[in-house]
């Protein structure tokens, strides 16, 4: 089963409905999108000589071409490697090299970054800028047949950073993506034909994954012309396109409800906001419900089980009369239909209701493992259970509340930041003896990054120098917003740094 079957079905059922739109203008119908994808697929196989299972990366700010590229990849029996547009060239280089991608599609703003990254990726043969003739030429020719794919074939190689600092490629198969899609229909929503989704969040991550359930039901996928999330533009598009769904990180929901232009939103414009990827404060959620009505659903998932572990339904958000309404809002909801979810102790024994432990889950959306990384796979997948690294507790209603992120990950503006990656860079400076990076609560971004630094005796270093070092090595959004110089890092008897103590200093 090839996930591109979803598009084939929609091209037959919803032929003339728009499949893609640039801002307020329709771009391609379902029938035309299918034809274009089938022609592009021939180019991938013939002109670029790619063979079943080969990886094709894309580094693109949100645009219609991203959807064309993805489906052409699957149509040709290849695997997509999405890359977050905000990554540093060195991070892109690691992903390109590690995945062994043969071809990479880019938007013009990222062409230089990828050209730089390509120097360290020997298997990358070609970079195609989607605004050049090299791309438009891919429309020319005859449509080829869709390649067969086994449900277990790799479809989406998603690089999630590890606490060790090196990104790991979560291997998602055609079956994983299909199960995620069916789960959306079962637990989240069944969009009507002719509905829409506005891609305001990155297409390389959550918003891109929601393309499947929307495309399977004949919705139009709308790409803001700015290529990013700007509240007035998003509101305009939600008013323009019917029955609009949108995926937003909690901080993006907050920006929406705090922006003056939210009052321009027509009451019937919005169908559903799904939010997730980071904790949402109950006070923000209540304000969002007051302003937007019964239009919110939450999901809890991770790259290793995309968008699917638990969900908090619209009904639970809206049932204000329920005696446990607030507890429900503070939770991440109940296990998804396709998932078994447990809270366990270190030995994997289920803990009693109400007790905190690590969240593990099993089901058809759980990844096949990490690409070329058997050690990390063995740690995360045990007897088919995915150990999420998240800590939480179930209540007597079967609702899961996330207590903490066991791995000290920082979530800023909906993006995950792994302290170890930043610590690795800061440690490159000769004056840095030790450092530790933690998250500090931030009203707008959820958290921001703070580095505690211990300098070597007799030396000193200016924050501006450390900032430069970060800019040279990692994505801008990951660099610390504040440096605190201290005499020694707090440690326990085993020499482990006590991050909780550092956080309490903030
Ligand atoms: P990613 O792999 O980038 O999707 O990040 C996944 C992580 O984000 C999870 O392991 C959680 O720590 C966090 N996360 C995802 N959804 C939620 C949610 N609804 N509430 C709180 N944290 C979440």
């Amino acid at each position: 089963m090839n996930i591109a079957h979803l598009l084939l079905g929609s091209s037959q059922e919803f032929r003339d409905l728009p499949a893609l739109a640039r801002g307020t203008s329709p771009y391609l119908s379902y029938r035309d999108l299918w034809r274009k994808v089938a022609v592009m697929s021939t180019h991938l196989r013939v002109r670029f000589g790619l063979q079943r299972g080969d990886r094709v990366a894309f580094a693109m700010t949100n645009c219609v071409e991203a959807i064309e590229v993805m489906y052409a990849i699957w149509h040709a029996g290849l695997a997509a490697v999405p890359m977050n547009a905000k990554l540093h060239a060195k991070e892109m280089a690691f992903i390109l090299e590690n995945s062994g991608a043969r071809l990479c599609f880019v938007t013009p703003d990222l062409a230089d970054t990828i050209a730089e990254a390509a120097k360290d990726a020997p298997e990358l043969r070609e970079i195609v800028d989607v605004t050049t003739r090299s791309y438009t030429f891919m429309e020319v020719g005859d449509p080829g047949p869709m390649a067969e794919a086994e449900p277990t074939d790799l479809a989406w190689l998603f690089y999630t950073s590890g606490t060790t600092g090196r990104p790991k490629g979560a291997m998602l198969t055609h079956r994983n993506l299909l199960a995620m899609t069916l789960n959306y229909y079962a637990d989240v929503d069944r969009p009507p034909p002719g509905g829409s989704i506005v891609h305001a969040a990155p297409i390389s991550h959550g918003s891109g994954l929601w393309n499947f359930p929307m495309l399977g039901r004949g919705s139009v996928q709308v790409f803001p012309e700015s290529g990013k999330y700007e509240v007035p533009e998003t509101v305009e598009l939600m008013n323009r396109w019917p029955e609009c769904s949108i995926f937003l990180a909690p901080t993006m929901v907050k920006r929406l409800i705090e922006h003056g232009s939210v009052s321009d939103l027509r009451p019937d414009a919005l169908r559903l906001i799904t939010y997730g990827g980071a904790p949402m404060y109950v006070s923000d959620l209540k304000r969002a419900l007051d302003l937007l009505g019964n239009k919110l659903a939450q999901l809890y998932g991770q790259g290793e089980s995309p968008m699917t572990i638990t969900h908090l339904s619209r009904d639970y958000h809206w049932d204000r009369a329920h005696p446990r309404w607030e507890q429900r809002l503070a939770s991440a909801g109940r296990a998804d239909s396709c998932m078994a979810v447990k809270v366990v102790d270190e030995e994997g024994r289920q803990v009693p209701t109400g007790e905190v432990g690590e969240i593990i889950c099993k089901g058809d959306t759980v990844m096949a493992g990490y690409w070329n990384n058997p050690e990390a796979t063995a740690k995360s997948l045990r007897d088919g259970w995915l150990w999420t690294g998240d800590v939480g507790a179930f209540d007597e209603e079967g609702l899961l509340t996330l207590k903490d992120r066991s791995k000290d990950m920082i979530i800023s503006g909906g993006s995950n930041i792994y302290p170890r990656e930043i610590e690795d860079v800061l440690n490159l400076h000769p004056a840095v003896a030790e450092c530790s990076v933690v998250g500090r609560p931030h009203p707008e971004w959820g958290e921001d990054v703070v580095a505690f630094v211990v300098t070597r005796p007799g030396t000193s270093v200016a924050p501006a120098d450390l900032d430069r070092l970060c800019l040279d090595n990692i994505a801008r959004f990951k660099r610390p917003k504040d440096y605190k110089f201290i005499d020694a890092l707090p440690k326990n008897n085993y020499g482990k740094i006590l991050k909780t103590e550092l956080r309490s200093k903030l």
Side-chain angles (χ1 to χ4, degrees):
M1 184 275 162
N2 186 328
I3 192 73
H5 271 287
L6 275 183
L7 180 56
L8 171 62
S10 292
S11 73
Q12 294 162 337
E13 191 176 357
F14 310 113
R15 294 163 72 83
D16 297 318
L17 287 182
L20 297 175
R22 285 193 171 123
T24 54
S25 313
Y27 172 61
L28 280 183
S29 69
Y30 270 94
R31 188 175 35 180
D32 292 343
L33 176 61
W34 174 251
R35 189 178 193 286
K36 185 166 182 180
V37 157
V39 176
M40 287 173 65
S41 153
T42 308
H43 281 258
L44 291 175
R45 285 181 276 200
V46 179
R47 181 170 138 215
F48 295 104
L50 298 172
Q51 291 180 1
R52 184 170 168 183
D54 280 347
R55 275 81 55 217
V56 177
F58 63 90
M60 297 164 99
T61 42
N62 284 7
C63 60
V64 289
E65 289 81 4
I67 299 290
E68 298 174 350
V69 162
M70 286 182 206
Y71 281 90
I73 290 171
W74 295 314
H75 188 285
L78 312 168
V81 186
M83 295 199 288
N84 186 325
K86 285 200 239 155
L87 292 181
H88 190 277
K90 288 189 182 175
E91 295 165 313
M92 303 261 198
F94 177 83
I95 294 175
L96 290 170
E97 191 274 322
N98 187 268
S99 65
R102 311 278 290 278
L103 173 66
C104 183
F105 288 93
V106 296
T107 41
D109 50 325
L110 293 165
D112 288 345
T113 309
I114 294 298
E116 176 68 25
K119 292 180 191 157
D120 294 321
E123 289 182 61
L124 187 70
R125 292 198 207 139
E126 202 126 12
I127 300 167
V128 175
D129 178 336
V130 298
T131 57
T132 61
R133 288 179 61 165
S134 177
Y135 186 76
T136 44
F137 184 53
M138 291 182 75
E139 267 183 72
V140 181
D142 294 322
M146 176 168 40
E148 292 232 346
E150 293 302 319
T152 48
D153 281 357
L154 177 65
W156 180 265
L157 186 55
F158 175 77
Y159 277 81
T160 157
S161 293
T163 38
T164 54
R166 289 185 65 208
K168 290 176 286 191
M171 296 189 285
L172 300 175
T173 64
H174 291 264
R175 176 184 283 144
N176 290 151
L177 298 177
L178 183 66
M180 180 197 74
T181 305
L182 298 180
N183 200 90
Y184 186 92
Y185 300 148
D187 290 345
V188 184
D189 189 32
R190 189 164 162 79
S196 59
I197 178 169
V198 172
H199 287 295
I203 198 80
S204 57
H205 205 312
S207 205
L209 289 164
W210 269 176
N211 107 79
F212 302 104
M214 304 307 292
L215 174 136
R217 294 282 300 148
S219 290
V220 56
Q221 308 205 43
V222 180
F223 287 84
E225 302 220 58
S226 67
K228 40 187 191 249
Y229 179 53
E230 278 166 7
V231 174
E233 184 186 28
T234 306
V235 168
E236 186 198 355
L237 294 176
M238 293 195 285
N239 281 335
R240 157 71 177 89
W241 294 101
E243 295 279 347
C244 188
S245 300
I246 190 165
F247 169 72
L248 297 175
T251 50
M252 296 168 92
V253 178
K254 194 168 150 101
R255 273 170 66 194
L256 175 69
I257 56 175
E258 285 176 357
H259 200 283
S261 62
V262 73
S263 56
D264 298 336
L265 193 63
R266 285 203 325 263
D268 60 339
L270 186 62
R271 179 179 176 84
L272 179 66
I273 296 179
T274 47
Y275 66 91
M280 174 103 167
Y281 295 112
V282 173
S283 53
D284 292 336
L285 194 48
K286 285 182 176 169
R287 266 196 307 149
L289 288 164
D290 287 343
L291 263 169
L292 305 169
N294 182 12
K295 313 271 177 161
L296 288 131
Q298 186 194 167
L299 62 98
Y300 157 55
Q302 57 177 208
E304 293 83 346
S305 179
M307 312 300 260
T308 356
I309 297 175
T310 65
H311 66 283
L312 188 69
S313 69
R314 260 187 289 203
D315 293 349
Y316 275 33
H317 279 87
W318 203 237
D319 188 4
R320 291 167 191 259
H322 196 279
R324 301 191 75 243
W325 183 55
E326 296 222 351
Q327 286 98 318
R328 285 177 165 188
L329 291 189
S331 81
R334 56 179 62 261
D336 287 334
S337 298
C338 70
M339 269 289 149
V341 185
K342 290 203 280 195
V343 172
V344 299
D345 64 17
E346 280 169 14
E347 273 77 50
R349 288 179 302 236
Q350 193 158 359
V351 302
T353 303
E355 277 188 28
V356 174
E358 181 159 349
I359 298 159
I360 65 172
C361 63
K362 193 178 210 172
D364 269 355
T365 56
V366 170
M367 65 164 182
Y370 292 114
W371 178 256
N372 282 344
N373 197 339
E375 303 87 51
T377 302
K379 261 192 212 153
S380 286
L381 289 182
R382 301 181 219 162
D383 297 328
W385 289 91
L386 171 69
W387 288 62
T388 62
D390 291 318
V391 171
F394 272 114
D395 64 19
E396 63 279 12
E397 254 197 295
L399 300 176
L400 180 71
T401 299
L402 297 174
K403 299 289 179 194
D404 204 353
R405 299 181 300 279
S406 66
K407 298 173 186 165
D408 295 315
M409 181 174 83
I410 301 167
I411 303 184
S412 186
S415 296
N416 294 351
I417 300 176
Y418 292 86
R420 180 68 187 271
E421 262 186 291
I422 304 161
E423 290 158 9
D424 283 346
V425 171
L426 296 177
N427 281 325
L428 295 174
H429 197 284
V432 172
E434 274 191 312
C435 67
S436 182
V437 168
V438 296
R440 171 174 63 185
H442 186 276
E444 194 180 344
W445 301 110
E447 284 181 293
D448 65 2
V449 178
V450 179
F452 285 88
V453 177
V454 180
T455 52
R456 291 183 197 284
T459 66
S460 68
V461 56
D465 291 342
L466 294 175
D467 216 41
R468 182 80 262 141
L469 190 62
C470 290
L471 284 171
D472 286 342
N473 286 284
I474 45 171
R476 287 185 80 82
F477 71 91
K478 296 180 185 171
R479 71 194 207 285
K481 299 292 171 296
D482 199 354
Y483 292 91
K484 307 247 178 243
F485 293 92
I486 51 174
D487 292 334
L489 295 176
K491 292 184 185 149
N492 71 9
N493 289 340
Y494 299 102
K496 280 193 200 287
I497 297 167
L498 296 168
K499 293 212 176 204
T500 6
E501 243 174 67
L502 289 174
R503 277 190 218 106
S504 65
K505 282 185 198 285
L506 300 170

